[in-house]
Amino acid sequence: MKGLIEANLHYLQQAAALVDALEDGSYVRAEPMFYNSTVGGHLRHCLDHYESFARGVSEGKIDYDCRCRDQQVENKTHVARSRINTIIGLLERLADQTPNKSVLIKMDCGGASQRGQDNANNCAGGAGELWQSSTLGRELQFLVSHTVHHFAMIRGICQRAGESLDADFGMAPSTLRYREQLGNNKPTAD
């Protein structure tokens, strides 16, 4: 469990360094090449998933559709920084959990069976919910993957705006290892 938590903490620390380095104007600047998305929007989305995870651990039910979507986190770097610090503390307190602990998860995957259900901001639940079995370890793996992919978008937005980031920001751990084995840092889609 410790390794999984450390992997997630690594990306949250990257997020903290990012918001410390960006002005609010850069944080909220929409980039047309990335569907008019913003650094703040992608980061808020990732933090929402971490909060859903942390909130659901004690109940054994993680509802990724039940998200706060706080516009302040999306628009103000200091608010995002505070939220990152809170999430880091929540994850650090999970170190004594077992990665094989069973949990149920829910996430709207857009399938036909979910059409017509009002899942947006629906934290109360309802008939027809699609809960799936998982484990804490698997969900921590999901959070790394989810975060890496959004960070790759953030990286692109920042590059288009001329912002500099650490060389490994938004890079999957397996890609970094692969590059290390090759002895180069050339971009790859691996």
Side-chain angles (χ1 to χ4, degrees):
M1 187 73 160
K2 183 179 177 186
L4 292 169
I5 289 172
E6 286 175 0
N8 281 278
L9 291 175
H10 167 77
Y11 290 104
L12 289 167
Q13 289 159 353
Q14 281 189 342
L18 173 72
V19 297
D20 288 347
L22 290 179
E23 300 286 331
D24 283 347
S26 296
Y27 188 66
V28 300
R29 182 181 304 118
E31 174 49 56
M33 292 290 291
F34 290 88
Y35 310 101
N36 281 327
S37 62
T38 66
V39 170
H42 283 284
L43 185 57
R44 189 264 316 143
H45 177 78
C46 291
L47 298 178
D48 281 352
H49 278 73
Y50 278 105
E51 288 174 332
S52 293
F53 171 81
R55 187 175 43 252
V57 167
S58 63
E59 306 168 17
K61 290 180 86 172
I62 300 167
D63 184 350
Y64 290 115
D65 295 333
C66 182
R67 300 193 307 269
C68 182
R69 296 175 171 93
D70 185 345
Q71 294 299 303
Q72 292 296 310
V73 173
E74 193 166 326
N75 295 318
K76 303 287 183 191
T77 55
H78 73 278
V79 176
R81 181 61 151 111
S82 175
R83 194 67 54 88
I84 291 165
N85 292 343
T86 299
I87 294 167
I88 287 172
L90 292 170
L91 286 181
E92 287 173 338
R93 287 191 288 279
L94 292 177
D96 64 339
Q97 298 282 331
T98 174
N100 294 327
K101 178 181 175 184
S102 294
V103 293
L104 294 174
I105 61 148
K106 183 170 76 112
M107 179 185 301
D108 183 349
C109 295
S113 64
Q114 290 187 330
R115 288 192 189 114
Q117 294 181 26
D118 183 14
N119 285 335
N121 286 321
N122 181 5
C123 297
E129 292 178 335
L130 299 175
W131 291 93
Q132 299 294 318
S133 298
S134 189
T135 64
L136 287 183
R138 177 62 192 105
E139 293 312 302
L140 285 166
Q141 288 174 325
F142 160 73
L143 288 169
V144 166
S145 178
H146 180 257
T147 300
V148 164
H149 285 276
H150 280 277
F151 278 21
M153 295 286 283
I154 288 172
R155 180 180 193 78
I157 293 168
C158 287
Q159 285 177 334
R160 296 275 306 163
E163 303 284 347
S164 63
L165 297 172
D166 288 342
D168 66 345
F169 187 93
M171 300 291 284
S174 61
T175 301
L176 293 171
R177 274 191 303 282
Y178 178 72
R179 285 183 175 185
E180 191 174 284
Q181 290 170 355
L182 292 178
N184 67 39
N185 287 325
K186 292 181 181 174
T188 181
D190 181 53

